[in-house]
Amino acid sequence: MTLGRLILAWLPVAALFAVAPPLGYRWGGGAGGDLPPDQRALVWSFNLWEIGWRLVEAAVVTLFASLWFDSLGAGGWWLLFLLVGLLAAFPRRLVMWQHVDALRRRHLFVHALLDVARYIAAGALLSSLNQ
């Protein structure tokens, strides 16, 4: 894939990653702060530092997809992005789960599922751009 195609493929994934992840992150920084556990699990927070890192994450996912689609094939992309999403979303939250109450565990689980869904959506975007 040429640099121009990589950048064009990165743009929708970057937009997805910049917009989707702030949903649900209500404790651990950002505008949401550390809200009491009786608040909603899904809120909007705007943290430039995290959005910047999500744009870098989108670039890595785009390069990963380029490797997959350009050399190994197009079949099974959904399984590949599901597995990568699980690897990216759950390990850091599993460490946190042992130190929080049950309500926050549920919120962490929802956040992890949103991250996995974000990876699968990125794979779908990149798969459609590859065809």
Side-chain angles (χ1 to χ4, degrees):
M1 190 178 278
T2 66
L3 181 60
R5 283 191 65 205
L6 278 173
I7 291 171
L8 287 176
W10 171 77
L11 287 174
V13 177
L16 172 70
F17 277 33
V19 171
L23 295 172
Y25 292 107
R26 63 183 187 89
W27 34 272
D34 191 9
L35 298 177
D38 60 343
Q39 298 294 322
R40 297 180 331 219
L42 299 176
V43 297
W44 175 261
S45 67
F46 187 76
N47 182 327
L48 287 177
W49 178 258
E50 182 163 341
I51 289 174
W53 278 112
R54 293 297 179 151
L55 296 177
V56 171
E57 182 183 16
V60 171
V61 169
T62 302
L63 291 171
F64 180 75
S66 174
L67 175 66
W68 176 258
F69 293 125
D70 290 344
S71 63
L72 300 174
W77 65 264
W78 62 271
L79 180 59
L80 181 72
F81 282 90
L82 170 69
L83 295 174
V84 170
L86 290 172
L87 285 172
F90 277 93
R92 66 181 177 185
R93 289 182 178 93
L94 289 176
V95 171
M96 294 169 57
W97 280 3
Q98 62 187 334
H99 302 293
V100 297
D101 58 53
L103 181 60
R104 290 195 182 209
R105 283 187 188 128
R106 285 192 297 274
H107 290 173
L108 283 170
F109 185 71
V110 168
H111 301 167
L113 291 178
L114 288 171
D115 275 348
V116 172
R118 191 170 43 91
Y119 271 85
I120 294 171
L125 277 171
L126 293 164
S127 175
S128 68
L129 292 173
N130 185 52
Q131 296 176 7

